[in-house]
Amino acid sequence: MLRLLFVLVLSLAACHTVAAVPQAPDSPLTLTEETVTWDNGQSVTFDLGTLTVPVNRRAGSNETITVEVVRFRRAASAPSDVPPVFRLRGGPGWPGVTSDLDDPIHYQFNVERLIETTDVVYVGQRGFGTSTDTPCADREALSFDASDAQRQQALLDALRACRQSYEAGGLDLTGFNVLEAAADVAEAARELGYDQIQLYGSSFGSHVGMALLRANPDLIARVMFYGLEGPDHTHDDPDGLERALESIAAAAESSETLAPYVPPGGLLNAYRDLIRRADAEPIRVPTVHPDTGDSLVVVLAGDDFRELSRGVTRGLAWNYLTPAWALDLLTMLSGDFEPAARRIFRLRTRTGMRNAAFYQLDCGSGITEARDARYRAADGADLVGEIWTMYSVGCLPWDADLGDGFRSDFVTDIPALLLHGTWDVSTPYENATELLPSFRDHHLVTVEGGSHGAVYEAMEVDQAFEDGLYRWFATGDATGLPDRVVLPPPAWQAPAEG
């Protein structure tokens, strides 16, 4: 089963052989041919290299950085006239495809079948991992009972120090934006000698892909995007997240396994009542320090429960994780807050920071004033919290905003296969429906019960969809692709007795 393969932990050795790939002497792209062999005996050969690109093309800068480029060449039996597929990964924060090759799972489910038809190319995300990493130093360690204002100030101080350290070193961080990231992909395509390419983008990758569609429409033959993040979708819609959680909760409540444990009014109504009670009177929870074992008391207010609305022990990135989410809610609704207290303690005392490029990229894409006002007035925020705070605070130190011209009036005639899950709590399903008028030539596949990884979940249960997906990349023919894929119910689990 695909699900099992994705969670399988393999112990695999990587045995490499390397050979040079001929390049023009003045090319900014340097490639070597590398072969990796895993412990399961499978081997794959690919071109691995770096592309030297301007830091800020729009500013006319002569300063350069490097981004990773990886090409898996099409099989000898593959047709020669199918445009290569450029895989645009989510994030921002993807460290590069070489990290994915620590085991064969990613290759088997993202590359292996595609190279029967065409080349598959990955271009790194500038600012992360193997593509000119831009880490920030840890922020100041604060006591657990520090106020929200103190935490926000510590974040701002750390971000300002991070920006200043790169500026002192001469790196123009304002070049780390989605327009430049899209230009990196276009430049890689040109250096590899491709006249046209296909895009296969997920989440933030679709965000980069839409920027590429606007800037280089003649380069793109067709696209497949899933978990869509449009030009004005960097900030998540609280109402969209609430609707996804309501749909998951309804499925849990209708299951024979969980129905006896569901409180009157349903899971989320009971959870909203818990939030309101904690707003009025925060809950004191005895627990122990996760590192020292010392006794401590964690005070959980309503906003803490809002932060945990998408799970305490596991997130909801995949459909098969939903049973843990339901158990987390039922645990808290039963009055057992100790797991929640441990999670909140970890969140409040963490000192690790996101990369400078994360903030420059996301803050650059930003949000229109009208959408920001709508989100701040959204009823869903009473359940999922004021999720815009990460940006309203974290974007203050950065000079990044690309403006409403970037976020508005996106329209394309390039053929598009779109897919989105109705249980996606990373990029709500409403992102897809809102973007449909922007894609004048589209086929939308709705995955009922699909998560942020809905494309893999759909392939697992619907052979017609999987075959249609690869036919799309081979020919651009959407005939036979379903409009809807319905996933089977998750394996709901009853709470432990006693």
Side-chain angles (χ1 to χ4, degrees):
M1 296 287 286
L2 179 59
R3 178 186 304 135
L4 295 177
L5 287 170
F6 265 104
V7 299
L8 183 64
V9 177
L10 300 176
S11 175
L12 298 158
C15 176
H16 301 276
T17 60
V18 179
V21 176
Q23 296 290 126
D26 59 346
S27 174
L29 176 63
T30 302
L31 292 174
T32 58
E33 185 181 88
E34 181 164 342
T35 299
V36 59
T37 302
W38 296 290
D39 274 357
N40 65 357
Q42 184 177 16
S43 295
V44 60
T45 298
F46 55 96
D47 297 332
L48 170 66
T50 57
L51 177 68
T52 301
V53 296
V55 173
N56 196 333
R57 298 171 179 88
R58 296 193 304 159
S61 172
N62 293 322
E63 184 184 4
T64 61
I65 57 173
T66 60
V67 297
E68 181 183 69
V69 176
V70 175
R71 174 174 58 186
F72 298 90
R73 294 177 183 262
R74 69 189 73 198
S77 59
S80 60
D81 58 348
V82 177
V85 172
F86 274 58
R87 187 70 164 88
L88 307 179
R89 294 295 298 279
W94 178 61
V97 75
T98 49
S99 65
D100 290 330
L101 293 178
D102 289 341
D103 64 57
I105 300 299
H106 179 86
Y107 173 78
Q108 290 168 351
F109 293 104
N110 288 273
V111 178
E112 193 167 46
R113 187 168 173 182
L114 273 176
I115 60 173
E116 296 174 6
T117 299
T118 189
D119 294 347
V120 177
V121 179
Y122 290 74
V123 179
Q125 293 178 1
R126 54 167 51 206
F128 302 98
T130 51
S131 297
T132 311
D133 205 8
T134 58
C136 292
D138 287 353
R139 60 181 143 183
E140 175 190 0
L142 299 175
S143 65
F144 170 75
D145 57 359
S147 66
D148 287 344
Q150 288 173 314
R151 295 181 199 286
Q152 291 177 7
Q153 188 60 53
L155 173 63
L156 286 172
D157 290 344
L159 291 175
R160 286 171 177 143
C162 183
R163 176 177 176 175
Q164 289 167 6
S165 69
Y166 285 107
E167 289 178 340
L171 182 62
D172 179 8
L173 289 175
T174 63
F176 289 78
N177 60 60
V178 171
L179 297 179
E180 295 291 344
D184 294 342
V185 177
E187 190 163 336
R190 288 190 294 268
E191 290 300 325
L192 289 168
Y194 299 126
D195 295 325
Q196 276 202 315
I197 64 175
Q198 304 182 70
L199 302 181
Y200 185 8
S202 56
S203 193
F204 176 74
S206 73
H207 188 66
V208 174
M210 289 177 224
L212 191 54
L213 288 178
R214 297 171 98 172
N216 295 273
D218 294 340
L219 178 64
I220 314 302
R222 53 186 169 268
V223 306
M224 190 283 174
F225 293 149
Y226 70 95
L228 279 77
E229 182 182 323
D232 197 19
H233 287 154
T234 296
H235 296 209
D236 291 332
D237 180 358
D239 284 341
L241 298 180
E242 181 183 48
R243 280 188 286 271
L245 293 177
E246 287 174 341
S247 181
I248 298 170
E253 292 160 4
S254 65
S255 73
E256 292 183 4
T257 301
L258 288 180
Y261 303 95
V262 175
L267 278 172
L268 288 187
N269 281 336
Y271 195 71
R272 291 184 184 97
D273 288 341
L274 172 61
I275 290 172
R276 285 189 283 269
R277 293 200 305 272
D279 278 335
E281 184 176 352
I283 300 170
R284 296 173 59 83
V285 184
T287 185
V288 297
H289 194 289
D291 298 322
T292 67
D294 294 338
S295 297
L296 57 88
V297 173
V298 175
V299 179
L300 298 177
D303 283 343
D304 295 310
F305 288 108
R306 291 183 179 95
E307 187 160 12
L308 298 176
S309 63
R310 284 180 273 179
V312 176
T313 59
R314 302 293 294 271
L316 286 169
W318 292 90
N319 168 284
Y320 73 86
L321 297 174
T322 53
W325 172 83
L327 289 176
D328 286 342
L329 261 63
L330 287 170
T331 297
M332 290 185 282
L333 293 174
S334 72
D336 181 358
F337 303 116
E338 207 273 334
R342 281 188 274 112
R343 176 65 177 156
I344 289 297
F345 182 88
R346 285 291 193 191
L347 292 174
R348 289 187 194 171
T349 56
R350 64 186 175 186
T351 58
M353 295 285 291
R354 295 181 183 271
N355 281 22
F358 168 85
Y359 285 99
Q360 283 286 179
L361 282 158
D362 267 5
C363 295
S365 295
I367 187 171
T368 57
E369 185 175 337
R371 185 178 296 273
D372 183 57
R374 174 159 66 87
Y375 286 4
R376 289 172 185 267
D379 292 337
D382 190 52
L383 175 65
V384 302
E386 297 179 351
I387 53 180
W388 55 82
T389 303
M390 179 180 75
Y391 293 117
S392 61
V393 174
C395 289
L396 291 175
W398 309 97
D399 179 16
D401 197 334
L402 294 174
D404 283 355
F406 166 79
R407 294 183 279 270
S408 305
D409 303 322
F410 165 58
V411 177
T412 181
D413 292 317
I414 294 171
L417 172 60
L418 310 175
L419 179 142
H420 216 112
T422 58
W423 290 4
D424 191 332
V425 297
S426 296
T427 52
Y429 179 73
E430 285 73 13
N431 285 11
T433 56
E434 186 177 304
L435 282 165
L436 290 185
S438 297
F439 291 94
R440 289 173 171 158
D441 183 1
H442 72 263
H443 181 96
L444 172 65
V445 179
T446 296
V447 182
E448 294 287 351
S451 70
H452 203 47
V455 68
Y456 303 107
E457 295 160 351
M459 283 194 286
E460 183 179 6
V461 303
D462 193 322
Q463 189 64 49
F465 167 75
E466 182 176 1
D467 292 342
L469 173 65
Y470 288 107
R471 185 169 56 250
W472 170 263
F473 286 122
T475 66
D477 180 10
T479 303
L481 274 163
D483 296 328
R484 191 169 299 271
V485 174
V486 180
L487 300 184
W492 302 109
Q493 302 168 33
E497 299 292 342

